[in-house]
Amino acid sequence: LKSSLGRRCLLIVVRLVVVVRIVGAVVGGVVAGGGADADDNSEEYEDSATVTPTAVPTRFREDLLPNYTQDALEDPSTPQARAYEWYLEDLQVNNDTIEIIHQESFLQRFVLSTFYFAMNGENWTKDDYWLEHETATCDWYTTSHYGVICIRGRQTQRRDLLEVEADKDRLFYYARLSLFDNNLHGQLPPEIGLLTELDVLDLHSNSISGTIPSTIGLMKGVALLQLFQNSLTGTIPTEMGNLEQVEHLNYAYNNLTG
């Protein structure tokens, strides 16, 4: 009896060992299979996540835009945020289809579009071609009487409102922002100072309010600056003393002090 009982116990143990090994093999196969599937899914996800929008917008925002602009981008209602949204559309529309983006700087188009939104461009008397993706900023409407709007290449000498020979291999730089008597309303955005190639800024006889941004002092090559007959308030920024090349400066008929 004891011998028979021992054989039965041994048989049960052997069967249990076999079952455990089978279960282990099955579980191991499932885990291994699951790992392979996970790897496949991971590769598939990586493929689908490789989107084309180039890194240009990120580099532009982080490397070229000052902190005050990046702060303004956090509020979608600001002129800067609206201009940045337009800029992203502009990149998409002009991506390798025409040479506009390659002929002028990203920053120039962004600053001028910011100016448009800040000055309520939709209500201007004339705004022909402004914010048209297929049009270079040099062709956007202007009231300028001072010659060409854009000059190719950076100028190494003072322009004095005259045409001078330029470096033909450089980008087009916006030189004359003239929109006087054109129903401009709003406050001058600080980004206007980033148009460092300007030699004419003529915005007189409009309804521009708020203060003159101190960044205007960055436009060290400006020769003519006309802001008279607006609704500007506050103190004249001391940075305007940096405008070493200015010959014609008029900000009368405002509410400025200093």
Side-chain angles (χ1 to χ4, degrees):
L1 182 61
K2 288 181 181 179
S3 173
S4 174
L5 183 60
R7 283 196 302 271
R8 287 181 183 176
C9 289
L10 181 60
L11 184 59
I12 291 172
V13 170
V14 170
R15 287 176 177 172
L16 284 174
V17 170
V18 171
V19 169
V20 167
R21 286 183 177 177
I22 292 172
V23 170
V26 171
V27 170
V30 170
V31 170
D37 290 344
D39 290 342
D40 291 343
N41 290 339
S42 173
E43 290 175 6
E44 184 179 342
Y45 173 78
E46 287 174 4
D47 290 342
S48 64
T50 313
V51 228
T52 351
T54 163
V56 169
T58 305
R59 292 200 308 269
F60 170 77
R61 179 168 179 167
E62 294 177 355
D63 297 343
L64 291 180
L65 297 183
N67 291 335
Y68 58 78
T69 303
Q70 297 193 42
D71 292 341
L73 293 180
E74 300 302 319
D75 180 355
S77 66
T78 63
Q80 292 84 351
R82 296 175 67 190
Y84 189 70
E85 184 179 356
W86 176 87
Y87 157 78
L88 294 179
E89 294 174 1
D90 198 46
L91 276 182
Q92 197 168 22
V93 170
N94 289 314
N95 183 25
D96 296 327
T97 56
I98 54 176
E99 293 185 357
I100 288 176
I101 291 298
H102 306 292
Q103 290 178 344
E104 56 181 287
S105 74
F106 295 113
L107 187 60
Q108 179 170 283
R109 288 177 78 80
F110 171 76
V111 170
L112 288 171
S113 58
T114 298
F115 177 82
Y116 179 86
F117 287 116
M119 295 286 101
N120 292 285
E122 301 93 337
N123 298 315
W124 290 356
T125 305
K126 290 194 71 175
D127 67 340
D128 299 358
Y129 303 115
W130 274 77
L131 301 195
E132 285 194 4
H133 294 297
E134 297 82 4
T135 309
T137 55
C138 304
D139 297 321
W140 293 0
Y141 172 76
T142 176
T143 54
S144 178
H145 301 314
Y146 309 106
V148 297
I149 303 308
C150 289
I151 296 178
R152 184 188 286 275
R154 294 183 183 277
Q155 305 303 294
T156 55
Q157 56 182 306
R158 184 153 174 225
R159 288 185 284 265
D160 286 331
L161 311 183
L162 300 175
E163 309 310 326
V164 297
E165 187 64 23
D167 180 358
K168 297 294 189 294
D169 296 325
R170 300 296 295 273
L171 296 173
F172 280 106
Y173 287 92
Y174 205 80
R176 286 145 195 176
L177 179 54
S178 179
L179 288 165
F180 59 83
D181 195 18
N182 198 44
N183 198 36
L184 275 62
H185 290 77
Q187 300 185 17
L188 289 172
E191 288 77 12
I192 196 169
L194 301 178
L195 295 174
T196 54
E197 298 299 317
L198 283 185
D199 62 6
V200 169
L201 179 61
D202 191 353
L203 305 175
H204 74 79
S205 304
N206 283 295
S207 299
I208 302 173
S209 57
T211 59
I212 298 175
S214 60
T215 53
I216 210 164
L218 297 173
M219 299 187 296
K220 296 184 180 180
V222 72
L224 183 145
L225 176 56
Q226 308 252 60
L227 296 174
F228 64 89
Q229 287 185 342
N230 276 289
S231 302
L232 294 165
T233 57
T235 305
I236 299 169
T238 57
E239 287 80 1
M240 289 186 74
N242 297 331
L243 305 179
E244 300 171 354
Q245 305 294 328
V246 69
E247 279 191 356
H248 309 278
L249 174 62
N250 191 343
Y251 42 76
Y253 303 106
N254 284 287
N255 296 308
L256 297 165
T257 59

